[in-house]
Amino acid sequence: MSEQIAIDTDGTWVVPDNPKIAFIQGDGIGADIWPGARMVLDAAVAAVFRQQKKIDWVPVLAGEDSFRHNGQRLPAETLETIQAFKVAMKGPLATPVGGGIRSLNVQIRRHLDLYACIRPVQYYPPVPSPMTHPEKVDMVVFRENTEDVYAGIEWESCSSGSRQLMHLLRTHLDCDLPDSCALGLKPISPEKSKRLVKKACEYAFENNRKTVTLMHKGNIMKFTEGGFCRWGYEAAFEHFGDKMITEKKLYETHEGIIPEGHVVIRDRIADMVFADVLLKPEQYDIIACPNLNGDYISDALAAQVGGLGIAPGANIGQTCAVFEATHGTAPDIAGKDMANPCSMILSGAMMLDHLGWQAAGDAVRQAVGRALAGGCVTPDLAARLSGVEEVSCSRFSEIIKQSLLAGA
Ligand code: NAD
């Protein structure tokens, strides 16, 4: 009998052996990648835990599928089920252009308060990369998911809203702007910055990582991005005390060598981070940043190791977590069994880690690595590699499963 995941009064997650997990297959290539992903994840759990554990996947509706059934793209029932089950996997969802339809992804993150977008970036040879040494990229981006310019508070140029706000700015805040300006707000709060940085630091300690870099543009936006940086340092020391070390202290008292069990907290200006991750990627480990910086850097890093088709992602809150492929619905190849399923499968590995089933998550990551190195790849990679055999999405998922069973 399957059960729902519970959370104890002290915040500990209690995961039964047969947890109910919600899944949204997704639009476009969702139907191509999901069956293979599910097969690989089920095989990993069965093999690693010798049939003692099993996921009960419960489908929930969202996107075009849902619209066809009930005229709603994101029914309340879907959000309620995810909230009740606490963990979900999600394929890509299309956002129709125009017509004022808000991104379903943003709605899901907002509604469930999934405040941390976590994107591990790691290289899998022989995936083609524009870098000379892509193997030096091994980072995890923690992007604040609920604030910043993504709060969606803006007014169109010459609208009644922008005129009213302009009037307030002129008359009360000594701030003069051209009449035609569109205006937007960039809210960044201490509470939400701190919970994100705490999560990033927790991850660093739990996964034996060495540095947490606060990526910000506080030299220009002193109170918003500068605030994020200041509150980030505060959160690190409030929660982890003298286990955290600043760079200054590292060099003054430890000769630049990080003592066992410690994590270095430091900050870097956003534009410098973009240069550094290309020129000296080995110096970056965990990156914690506000929403917009995180959006840019996570996709840029994914490109450095071969693209979005293989980059996994998770959106995590206090009581709920949704694991998702980071690419979109790829309408140009949907239904053709050509998509690369790795992003979805590796997001599933993150989900297994989150359940506390790391051995199964590791088995999936290793199997993906072996499968990619084995010479058979999906068309997106085959087009950029020589000496490989092009295989379909379903065939490649099967190869990953076979590699997993052989390695278990
Ligand atoms: P996209 O990621 O769907 O496609 C960009 C390019 O990458 C296309 O050429 C596509 O074929 C290719 N691609 C993407 N994933 C691939 C995979 N797994 N294997 C092989 N090739 C892959 O981005 P887009 O075209 O800008 O967006 C299409 C739709 O997806 C839009 O409606 C957009 O709103 C939505 N979208 C959803 C998400 C999400 O649900 N998380 C993210 C981004 C875009």
Side-chain angles (χ1 to χ4, degrees), residues 288-312:
C289 49
N291 212 335
L292 183 61
N293 296 339
D295 195 357
Y296 294 153
I297 193 71
S298 42
D299 279 11
L301 284 173
Q304 280 180 225
V305 294
L308 287 177
I310 56 165

Side-chain angles (χ1 to χ4, degrees), residues 29 90 92-95 105 324 327-333 339-340 380:
I29 55 169
K90 182 189 143 300
L93 291 173
T95 302
N105 299 308
E324 63 174 345
H327 52 74
T329 58
D332 49 337
I333 55 168
N340 187 333
D380 55 317

